[in-house]
Amino acid sequence: MGQYFSLSAASLLLASYAGARSVLEPAGEEAQQIAILFWVMLSSGALIWLGVVALLLHAALFNRHALNERSAGRIILWGGVVFPSVTLCALLAYALWLMPGLRPFTQAMGSTALRIEITGRQFWWEVVYHPSQGPPVASANEIRLPVGERVELTLKSADEIHSFWIPPLGGKMDMIPGRTNRLSLMATKPGVFRGPCTEYCGTSHALMAFSAVAMEPEAFRSWLTAQAIPAESAGASGGALFLRHGCGSCHFVAGTDARGLIGPDLSHVGSRATVGAGILPNTEDAIARFIARPELIKPGSRMPAFDMLPPEDIRAIATWLRGLQ
């Protein structure tokens, strides 16, 4: 029963992102170029299809007499060789002309003020911000970007091949173990978007997602400054229980004795939109359910179940974590 409830909650959460993951509603410079290329290709294909259908109808309805060998040869030459070759070459040339805007590596990488290091793991996302000034800031399962400023993303994998993609902001790129790939993005509109993993990476591949938040530059810098400071949460008993039951051996929480590096960084987990890498809304109930039986929500998760704990302990830990903002 709990598994069905988890799937229902996930479905509702995914539905809420429906308008935030469309490649045809670009909110980034690179995505705008991809959308233009898509519409040009679609329009060209539609015109060619209409032309072929028109010729077919003309031949079937109005010009049903047999063609001589010379006329048939001309149709094959011009319609089957010259026209497709010229059209495909023109479309290919246009796509190559757009390519610098789709992957602006050389112009962008040396001029970014912010680098975000993202590591794909089964089945969550490790995120570390490297600003030009100030210490690195760790997070997980959420990526924030300043609108109008180009950001460099360094993409890695700790286990399987993953694939990183924020459809409204730009194209996707694989994350391959032992290799660092680089991607440059610039958001042009503020908003909250959904990013999925687009390379099958195991049992919960479809349940591995993240939120991408494009913010005004000043708001982003204020947020990043706040993220570098340990959060204070009400419910000190929950923090003590978190450490007593061994959660700190896997998770890091700034300002506490929790120094684990195996699971997601929970220093400011209460400020994120979702729990479990885009699967559940960030509420105390959802956090408590994930603590108790994570395998029911995310099959294949490496986090052990804590359903042997008293319910009041699980609730206290969930309250404390939700308050880490």
Side-chain angles (χ1 to χ4, degrees):
M1 184 67 179
Q3 185 171 3
Y4 293 120
F5 182 79
S6 301
L7 293 174
S8 299
S11 299
L12 291 174
L13 184 64
L14 292 176
S16 69
Y17 278 98
R21 55 182 175 177
S22 174
V23 296
L24 301 181
E25 296 181 19
E29 197 171 77
E30 290 70 39
Q32 181 67 42
Q33 299 295 319
I34 294 173
I36 291 173
L37 180 60
F38 169 81
W39 287 116
V40 168
M41 293 292 184
L42 179 64
S43 301
S44 301
L47 289 174
I48 294 171
W49 181 80
L50 289 173
V52 171
V53 170
L55 289 174
L56 178 63
L57 292 175
H58 176 74
L61 300 177
F62 305 107
N63 190 15
R64 305 184 65 174
H65 64 275
L67 297 176
N68 58 45
E69 186 175 346
R70 184 174 182 181
S71 298
R74 287 177 179 174
I75 292 176
I76 293 173
L77 174 63
W78 290 100
V81 179
V82 176
F83 176 75
S85 299
V86 172
T87 302
L88 291 175
C89 286
L91 292 174
L92 176 61
Y94 180 71
L96 293 175
W97 179 71
L98 283 179
M99 194 61 68
L102 300 178
R103 285 286 187 265
F105 294 111
T106 55
Q107 306 97 315
M109 291 303 184
S111 60
T112 56
L114 175 67
R115 180 173 65 88
I116 305 177
E117 180 181 345
I118 304 170
T119 303
R121 299 179 182 272
Q122 290 181 310
F123 298 95
W124 59 281
W125 309 84
E126 179 183 353
V127 182
V128 181
Y129 298 84
H130 296 273
S132 57
Q133 297 180 348
V137 176
S139 184
N141 301 322
E142 184 178 270
I143 298 166
R144 301 208 179 200
L145 310 167
V147 172
E149 297 181 9
R150 187 161 294 284
V151 174
E152 176 188 353
L153 307 178
T154 55
L155 307 176
K156 304 177 182 179
S157 173
D159 35 54
E160 303 292 332
I161 297 178
H162 303 281
S163 192
F164 178 88
W165 190 26
I166 310 174
L169 298 185
K172 62 183 177 179
M173 181 171 286
D174 284 348
M175 309 167 84
I176 302 171
R179 177 184 177 124
T180 299
N181 288 335
R182 303 168 73 196
L183 181 65
S184 171
L185 294 177
M186 184 168 74
T188 55
K189 300 177 185 177
V192 180
F193 314 105
R194 182 177 175 83
C197 177
T198 55
E199 183 75 26
Y200 181 75
C201 57
T203 307
S204 285
H205 157 70
L207 304 177
M208 180 178 172
F210 61 90
S211 301
V213 184
M215 310 171 65
E216 296 297 340
E218 289 304 318
F220 172 79
R221 278 184 272 275
S222 298
W223 172 84
L224 191 61
T225 300
Q227 292 289 299
I229 302 172
E232 295 183 4
S233 176
S237 61
L241 290 169
F242 182 88
L243 296 173
R244 184 190 308 166
H245 294 305
C247 304
S249 61
C250 290
H251 296 282
F252 184 91
V253 180
T256 73
D257 291 332
R259 299 296 176 185
L261 300 176
I262 298 175
D265 187 296
L266 301 180
S267 298
H268 293 271
V269 64
S271 65
R272 298 168 196 163
T274 64
V275 174
I279 302 307
L280 297 175
N282 193 347
T283 64
E284 289 184 18
D285 287 340
I287 295 174
R289 288 176 50 227
F290 198 89
I291 293 172
R293 297 294 299 274
E295 76 281 359
L296 292 182
I297 298 171
K298 182 166 288 192
S301 171
R302 297 180 181 179
M303 177 175 169
F306 284 87
D307 55 345
M308 81 294 290
L309 299 180
E312 56 271 19
D313 284 12
I314 295 177
R315 174 61 63 174
I317 294 173
T319 301
W320 180 71
L321 290 174
R322 183 69 180 88
L324 291 175
Q325 305 204 19

